[in-house]
């Protein structure tokens, strides 16, 4: 071969080697791109799993482990959302605060497992007695709070009496269980969440002091008084549409405080 032919062959060989190296590099890049795509898919799947796990954890942190209804944190967050809705839509909002009467006696007499069973059963009865739009929570011990959206105090009192009556008429393994209930509506006299909770708590205390096993409803204070809550209680009866109390003959009404 002439010098020119040998030079041309050497050049062709170099080009061939370069082409082979280029193809190897291309293949390596394709493999890396494929691996990266697989990694990104795995990362996305893991991210979704983590998101789902966090959602389950967040939901679990809002559930009372004994009764499987909302806990105090769930109550506070749900009430805050309802307060925002009230501000936007100017709709009524009421609360029920429910306490099991003589619960310490149940625990001391029949033991804490029996007390836990009573708490679970009362939660079930309350949940069945209210509407699907209402939000039932256990805020601690033997106390429950029910958020009643778009519900004025008269309708809330009717629901409260339904809950009280349902608990009283339920069958219990050891002794009859009863509850006392306070009722309050968001109003100029209880215009934020904290004031509403104070009002409904006062009503529950007055129901207890009046003899328990009854509903006590907050009313507007009379003119000239600085009290935040003036109350009237009832037992074994309902309000009618004109806010008048209807009770069976022979049912004694406690005096308002």
């Amino acid at each position: 071969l002439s010098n020119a032919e040998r030079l041309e062959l050497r050049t062709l060989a170099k080009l061939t080697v370069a082409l082979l190296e280029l193809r190897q590099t291309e293949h390596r890049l394709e493999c890396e791109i494929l691996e990266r795509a697989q990694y990104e898919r795995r990362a996305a799947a893991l991210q979704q799993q983590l998101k789902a796990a966090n959602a389950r954890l967040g939901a679990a942190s809002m559930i009372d482990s004994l009764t499987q209804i909302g806990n105090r944190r769930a109550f506070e967050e749900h009430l805050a959302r309802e307060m925002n809705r009230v501000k936007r839509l100017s709709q009524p909002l009421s609360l029920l605060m429910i306490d099991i009467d003589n619960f310490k006696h149940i625990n001391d007499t029949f033991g804490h497992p029996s007390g836990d069973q009573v708490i679970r059963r009362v939660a079930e009865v309350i949940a069945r007695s209210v509407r699907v739009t209402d939000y039932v929570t256990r805020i601690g011990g033997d106390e429950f709070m029910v958020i009643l959206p778009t519900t004025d105090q008269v309708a809330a009192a009717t629901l409260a009496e339904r809950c009280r009556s349902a608990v009283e008429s339920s069958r219990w393994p050891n002794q009859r269980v009863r509850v006392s209930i306070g009722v309050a509506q968001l109003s100029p006299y209880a215009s934020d969440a904290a004031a509403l909770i104070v009002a409904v708590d006062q009503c529950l205390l007055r129901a207890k002091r009046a003899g328990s096993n009854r509903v006590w409803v907050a009313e507007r204070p009379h003119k000239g008084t600085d009290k935040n809550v003036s109350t009237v209680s009832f037992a074994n009866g309902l309000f009618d549409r004109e806010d008048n109390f209807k009770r069976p003959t022979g049912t004694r009404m406690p005096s308002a405080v």
Side-chain angles (χ1 to χ4, degrees):
L1 297 174
S2 64
N3 291 334
E5 289 174 336
R6 285 196 296 270
L7 180 60
E8 186 175 350
L9 284 174
R10 283 196 296 269
T11 302
L12 182 59
K14 290 180 181 179
L15 289 175
T16 302
V17 171
L19 180 60
L20 289 174
E21 290 177 349
L22 182 61
R23 288 181 176 176
Q24 290 175 350
T25 302
E26 182 181 10
H27 178 71
R28 187 172 61 253
L29 289 174
E30 288 176 350
C31 291
E32 290 177 357
I33 291 172
L34 180 60
E35 289 177 358
R36 183 177 181 85
Q38 292 174 344
Y39 169 80
E40 290 177 348
R41 286 195 294 269
R42 288 196 300 269
L46 290 173
Q47 186 69 23
Q48 288 298 321
Q49 293 174 13
L50 179 61
K51 185 177 180 180
N54 286 335
R56 289 193 298 270
L57 183 62
S61 70
M62 305 279 278
I63 297 297
D64 176 62
S65 60
L66 178 62
T67 60
Q68 299 304 303
I69 61 176
N71 58 18
R72 178 182 289 274
R73 177 184 172 188
F75 164 74
E76 292 172 350
E77 293 192 7
H78 196 87
L79 182 60
R81 288 195 295 270
E82 287 300 324
M83 293 293 296
N84 289 333
R85 183 192 57 77
V86 167
K87 291 178 181 178
R88 294 195 313 271
L89 304 178
S90 299
Q91 293 177 337
L93 173 67
S94 295
L95 287 183
L96 307 183
M97 191 171 188
I98 304 172
D99 184 85
I100 301 174
D101 295 333
N102 303 313
F103 183 71
K104 185 178 184 301
H105 172 75
I106 295 173
N107 264 343
D108 292 345
T109 304
F110 304 105
H112 289 278
S114 178
D116 288 347
Q117 183 180 3
V118 168
I119 289 175
R120 282 193 295 266
R121 177 67 174 151
V122 168
E124 292 171 359
V125 172
I126 293 171
R128 288 202 307 269
S129 300
V130 298
R131 307 158 302 186
V132 295
T133 54
D134 303 327
Y135 193 67
V136 182
T137 61
R138 178 185 175 217
I139 60 173
D142 59 327
E143 289 187 336
F144 302 85
M145 199 78 84
V146 185
I147 301 174
L148 307 176
T150 64
T151 305
D152 62 21
Q153 197 157 271
V154 175
T158 300
L159 284 168
E161 172 60 16
R162 183 190 299 170
C163 292
R164 187 206 64 79
S165 178
V167 171
E168 184 179 36
S169 61
S170 295
R171 300 183 64 179
W172 301 94
N174 296 313
Q175 70 174 52
R176 181 175 290 181
V177 175
R178 299 179 176 89
V179 295
S180 297
I181 306 178
V183 182
Q185 178 185 345
L186 194 68
S187 70
Y189 308 95
S191 58
D192 57 37
L196 182 58
I197 292 171
V198 169
V200 75
D201 182 61
Q202 289 180 355
C203 289
L204 176 60
L205 289 175
R206 294 182 183 187
K208 291 285 192 180
R209 291 170 182 168
S212 302
N213 189 33
R214 67 194 64 222
V215 172
W216 200 281
V217 185
E219 292 184 325
R220 277 190 319 188
H222 299 293
K223 292 181 179 179
T225 180
D226 58 355
K227 293 182 179 180
N228 290 329
V229 179
S230 173
T231 58
V232 59
S233 69
F234 69 93
N236 302 323
L238 300 173
F239 283 93
D240 62 22
R241 292 180 181 273
E242 288 72 39
D243 297 8
N244 297 315
F245 182 78
K246 293 182 177 181
R247 59 188 177 93
T249 302
T251 301
R252 189 173 70 86
M253 291 289 292
S255 302
V257 175

